[in-house]
Amino acid sequence: MSKIINQMPPSFSQKLVTHKPSLQEDNRRFLGFTIGDSLNALIPLMDLRATIKISLAEILPVPKMNESLLGIINYGGKATWVLDLAHLMGGSGYLSKSQLTTGMGMLFQIQNETVALLIDRVGTIETYDLQQCLPIGEAMFADRMRSFLSGYFIDAEQQSRVVIDIKQVIHTII
């Protein structure tokens, strides 16, 4: 069974309610993660609904679908699509790593569907100034990958952090 991992103790979550981030703060916060072995990526935190641990054995394959759609899982009593983000972006894909039995799912609500992007691990919440978001150059990535990116930031260690365009990712598979 998929398990929510981002739950906090009641006393901690009650303290969080006292500070509601402004829209400007929400637009600046991103969840960091890695795609494949080395691509550092970000997803706008305001788009994220939850992060869950997914057992690969729980994914029910659905025939005749986009090969990046691994299948569905039961999450909260509803069918939730599981998408291999690395494969969709042109990488070798999550299931090619035969030693893995679980992964992390980042859940997004798109229209009436819940979609989980399957990745290796979730990183930290990071804050960036949207004014500092740089455009993706044509020579930086292959066309397939570039179509899913909305820009990138340079972090404190001078590493690039690409921003995933979640609407474009979902639009491609629906």
Side-chain angles (χ1 to χ4, degrees), residues 34 37 49-50 57 59 66 78 82 85 92 101 111-112 114 123 134 138 147-149 158 162 164 167 174:
T34 304
D37 294 327
R49 297 295 170 243
I59 300 173
N66 181 312
K78 293 185 177 183
V82 178
L85 185 60
S92 60
T101 59
Q111 297 164 358
N112 292 329
T114 303
L134 302 167
E138 286 187 32
S147 68
F148 300 114
L149 306 177
Q158 300 302 306
V162 297
I164 305 296
K167 290 175 180 67
I174 293 182

Side-chain angles (χ1 to χ4, degrees), residues 1-171:
M1 182 63 128
S2 298
K3 177 175 116 178
I4 296 176
I5 65 160
N6 65 343
Q7 292 182 344
M8 296 167 222
S11 60
F12 184 71
S13 60
Q14 288 170 352
K15 291 177 187 174
L16 288 178
V17 174
T18 60
H19 172 70
K20 293 187 179 191
S22 68
L23 184 57
Q24 184 178 14
E25 285 176 309
D26 275 348
N27 286 334
R28 298 169 44 117
R29 298 173 65 205
F30 297 84
L31 180 64
F33 62 99
T34 304
I35 299 173
D37 294 327
S38 60
L39 184 63
N40 295 318
L42 300 165
I43 292 270
L45 198 56
M46 64 186 285
D47 294 338
L48 185 67
R49 297 295 170 243
T51 58
I52 61 172
K53 189 173 186 178
I54 297 175
S55 168
L56 300 183
E58 292 178 17
I59 300 173
L60 176 65
V62 178
K64 299 182 181 178
M65 294 300 292
N66 181 312
E67 59 188 28
S68 295
L69 270 174
L70 299 177
I72 57 175
I73 59 170
N74 178 356
Y75 176 73
K78 293 185 177 183
T80 299
W81 291 99
V82 178
L83 172 66
D84 185 338
L85 185 60
H87 185 270
L88 180 69
M89 295 179 72
S92 60
Y94 197 83
L95 293 183
S96 66
K97 302 174 182 179
S98 60
Q99 75 278 12
L100 297 176
T101 59
T102 62
M104 293 302 300
M106 297 185 300
L107 296 178
F108 298 91
Q109 185 74 35
I110 306 296
Q111 297 164 358
N112 292 329
E113 298 292 330
T114 303
V115 177
L117 301 184
L118 187 65
I119 60 170
D120 288 336
R121 62 191 169 280
V122 173
T124 60
I125 295 174
E126 303 174 28
T127 303
Y128 291 94
D129 182 351
L130 290 176
Q131 303 284 334
Q132 302 298 318
C133 190
L134 302 167
I136 300 293
E138 286 187 32
M140 293 175 74
F141 298 101
D143 288 342
R144 181 174 180 179
M145 184 181 291
R146 197 172 57 244
S147 68
F148 300 114
L149 306 177
S150 60
Y152 71 100
F153 294 103
I154 303 295
D155 67 15
E157 288 83 36
Q158 300 302 306
Q159 301 291 315
S160 62
R161 307 281 290 169
V162 297
V163 180
I164 305 296
D165 182 345
I166 190 63
K167 290 175 180 67
Q168 183 61 34
V169 168
I170 303 304
H171 175 72

